[in-house]
Amino acid sequence: IIATNVGDNSVLVKQDINGFLSSVGDYLSLSKGLEELLSSYERRVQMGLQSNCLLHNFSEENFREEYVTILNS
């Protein structure tokens, strides 16, 4: 994942773990992330696996539990 650090992107993208975050307008950082992923198949696979692991934190069940907790507080 290569994204700008806006909104909730920092929740979904962990720098150098499952992707790269860049500041808005920092095209050099974006291009560096692209270059790294394009040049390393192993890195792409590693980051993809990490993204898949992080997805388990974002299930519908987890969302529902968190939402109910907020409503009850």
Side-chain angles (χ1 to χ4, degrees):
I1 300 170
I2 300 172
T4 52
N5 193 5
V6 296
D8 285 342
N9 284 348
S10 63
V11 173
L12 301 172
V13 181
K14 303 301 177 193
Q15 184 68 23
D16 295 320
I17 295 173
N18 72 325
F20 301 103
L21 286 172
S22 298
S23 299
V24 173
D26 187 357
Y27 63 90
L28 293 175
S29 177
L30 285 173
S31 64
K32 183 179 175 186
L34 277 171
E35 183 178 350
E36 181 169 339
L37 291 180
L38 287 172
S39 66
S40 175
Y41 172 79
E42 292 82 15
R43 188 79 162 127
R44 290 192 307 270
V45 169
Q46 176 189 32
M47 286 187 163
L49 291 171
Q50 289 296 323
S51 291
N52 193 40
C53 289
L54 288 172
L55 281 176
H56 296 291
N57 296 326
F58 297 97
S59 69
E60 184 178 334
E61 182 179 336
N62 286 346
F63 174 80
R64 191 176 15 246
E65 289 174 8
E66 292 289 328
Y67 190 73
V68 169
T69 299
I70 291 169
L71 291 176
N72 289 331
S73 61

